[in-house]
DNA sequence: TGACACCCTATAGTTACTATATGGTCAAGT
DNA sequence: ACTTGACCATATAGTAACTATAGGGTGTCA
């Protein structure tokens, strides 16, 4: 029976930690469930589904703010889903940008690493020496 | 003259924010500078060089802990630089792993995005529907 | 003397949790 | 009836690397 799930059961069914579920409730991502006589949270299959939704979004590294928005869209069925598309497009852009950035970083790091030729004294370490020189063409943040 | 730099001057010379410089001091990454009569921080060219080092490392997304280690290695000139190499190798690995992860995420997101065919009502939005379904094969972190 | 740029400290907020402390609930076993 | 143990509850603080805010002092120029 799926309508009196305790928090630990919900956790097991979603691969989510108990504390995280409580955290989502505080953050307004999961509606407050009913309580048992002993003050235990009692979840329904609605909660289960919503938590699956949240975890699916999180596994794609969407922010909790993004997820809040998506949940709002879901609850206004007459609105178009153009905003869902836009949110996703933006997220895809962000991920792609980050990949580009990390690739450049990786080659920079490999370049730096290549300056070392085996264990010498740290005072002569070319990596450390190189890190002391000014970064050219870098702007803040 | 480079031996009585005020914090704002140091900030301008390194492209670092004033508050960040003070933060590095609190964190023990920059030694405490002398003070003027009016209690202003007075930096030397040593500070300037060390801050360049820190910012260079940060531009490569090393953590402050990493940087603390590197500074320690620099100050123990008889130690070999093998540890510097190891730190860098680890960092390169982390970056490479993250790239792999983000690439897979990107294609997953593009797949999801492709399920939408233009603006329909949110209740039928295939993206939202898809996000409700269970993630298969994902384990907890 | 006042305006202004610049400096100071202390404290709280950001993100998405995680950790810690302290105590209550419930079912099974003795 | 009592205890053990798994499970649940709340409140608070910590994580990383800053950023923001409040409230006030310093130094120079007109």
């Amino acid at each position: 029976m799926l309508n009196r799930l305790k928090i630990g059961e919900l956790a097991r069914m979603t691969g989510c930690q108990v504390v995280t579920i409580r955290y989502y409730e505080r953050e307004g991502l999961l509606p407050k469930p009913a309580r048992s006589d002993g003050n235990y949270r009692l979840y329904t299959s609605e909660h289960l589904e919503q938590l699956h939704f949240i975890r699916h979004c999180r596994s794609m590294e969407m922010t909790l703010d993004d997820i809040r928005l998506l949940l709002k869209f879901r609850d206004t069925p007459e609105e178009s889903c153009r905003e869902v598309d836009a949110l996703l497009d933006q997220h895809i852009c962000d991920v792609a940008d980050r990949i580009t950035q990390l690739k450049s970083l990786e080659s920079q790091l490999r370049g730096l690493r290549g300056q070392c030729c085996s264990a010498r004294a740290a005072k002569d370490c070319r990596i450390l020496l190189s890190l002391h020189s000014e970064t050219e063409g870098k702007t803040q943040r």
Side-chain angles (χ1 to χ4, degrees), chain A:
Chain A
M1 198 260 280
L2 281 183
N3 272 343
R4 290 178 68 83
L5 294 166
K6 280 192 287 177
I7 197 166
E9 295 166 330
L10 192 63
R12 244 168 276 124
M13 295 169 83
T14 54
C16 182
Q17 293 212 253
V18 165
V19 282
T20 304
I21 297 176
R22 287 199 279 251
Y23 170 71
Y24 289 157
E25 180 183 327
R26 278 203 304 285
E27 289 296 305
L29 286 159
L30 270 180
K32 287 184 193 292
R35 295 292 182 123
S36 73
D37 289 348
N39 199 32
Y40 286 12
R41 289 171 175 81
L42 296 177
Y43 293 99
T44 67
S45 50
E46 303 262 294
H47 290 100
L48 176 61
E49 204 195 346
Q50 181 144 337
L51 185 51
H52 270 311
F53 180 89
I54 295 169
R55 294 308 290 176
H56 198 157
C57 292
R58 286 294 299 138
S59 79
M60 310 235 250
E61 302 193 20
M62 294 178 193
T63 66
L64 298 191
D65 271 348
D66 285 346
I67 299 171
R68 252 182 287 266
L69 260 183
L70 290 177
L71 288 170
K72 223 176 67 181
F73 293 147
R74 194 200 51 175
D75 293 340
T76 58
E78 298 317 318
E79 295 282 318
S80 95
C81 70
R82 219 167 299 189
E83 325 210 37
V84 174
D85 296 355
L87 192 154
L88 219 54
D89 285 340
Q90 182 59 56
H91 189 44
I92 291 169
C93 266
D94 291 346
V95 170
D97 286 353
R98 183 70 179 144
I99 291 170
T100 304
Q101 190 190 4
L102 285 180
K103 277 182 178 167
S104 135
L105 178 59
E106 186 185 3
S107 68
Q108 212 184 329
L109 283 167
R110 289 198 192 280
L112 185 63
R113 178 63 177 84
Q115 292 180 20
C116 190
C117 8
S118 85
R120 83 190 70 223
K123 68 176 182 313
D124 303 318
C125 175
R126 292 205 193 146
I127 292 175
L128 289 178
L129 290 174
S130 178
L131 282 170
H132 271 285
S133 65
E134 238 171 293
T135 318
E136 65 300 311
K138 291 274 174 206
T139 43
Q140 195 175 353
R141 86 156 329 203

